[in-house]
Amino acid sequence: MSFRVTARSAELFSGLVAPRVEAGAESSGSEWMRFLRDRVREKHIDVNQVITVYVPDPHGTVNAVVAVSVDSPADVDAGDVFVSIPTGVFAVFMPSGSLADPIEDVWAQVDDCVASGAIFRAYKEEVEVVTKSGEVELFISIVL
């Protein structure tokens, strides 16, 4: 389990919503999330990466926005939602190769780091990046 800490600038994303999901490998690797990633890729053929933004709500649930980065709200496609991620500090995880599924690998590392006290999750917006070639990078909001 290794990670790096980085600051991430504010960003705007546009895409499709999966309401009330559990942020983690089970939901991220589900058929539903794969379906949403495929739909976003179909709409944005030239995009290399699809981002899933996990957005907590005031009721204690998390909504996932499967999206692409956009420059302004004017760039949001009809029927899509947009979400803005504020500037923040994140622990960044990449697959270690200990598990065959790279999405499962990064989320397992997060669970291990939280359990060991290596990181303290802020439970704010979290960002999962999946490229066309299947590379994964996970940004977990943390408290310093």
Side-chain angles (χ1 to χ4, degrees):
M1 117 183 108
S2 68
F3 63 92
R4 63 183 165 84
V5 175
T6 189
R8 190 175 169 105
S9 298
E11 256 183 295
L12 185 65
F13 297 96
S14 167
L16 306 171
V17 177
R20 297 186 172 181
V21 300
E22 176 93 22
E26 188 174 323
S27 65
S28 181
S30 71
E31 290 297 321
W32 173 238
M33 294 299 271
R34 280 187 224 137
F35 172 81
L36 291 175
R37 282 193 288 271
D38 288 345
R39 296 300 74 75
V40 169
R41 282 190 183 103
E42 285 175 4
K43 288 173 68 172
H44 305 277
I45 294 172
D46 59 336
V47 73
N48 179 45
Q49 56 189 17
V50 173
I51 291 96
T52 303
V53 181
Y54 294 93
V55 183
D57 70 20
H59 306 290
T61 59
V62 175
N63 298 300
V65 179
V66 180
V68 295
S69 182
V70 294
D71 294 326
S72 77
D75 297 330
V76 176
D77 290 337
D80 283 1
V81 299
F82 72 92
V83 62
S84 178
I85 303 283
T87 299
V89 178
F90 296 83
V92 184
F93 295 86
M94 297 180 72
S96 65
S98 60
L99 297 173
D101 182 344
I103 291 174
E104 196 175 321
D105 189 324
V106 292
W107 283 103
Q109 289 180 59
V110 171
D111 292 343
D112 290 347
C113 283
V114 169
S116 71
I119 65 169
F120 296 97
R121 288 177 80 170
Y123 293 99
K124 295 182 180 178
E125 294 84 0
E126 298 178 334
V127 180
E128 179 186 76
V129 180
V130 179
T131 67
K132 279 184 181 178
S133 62
E135 296 172 15
V136 177
E137 194 173 34
L138 180 59
F139 294 79
I140 297 295
S141 61
I142 59 171
V143 177
L144 293 179

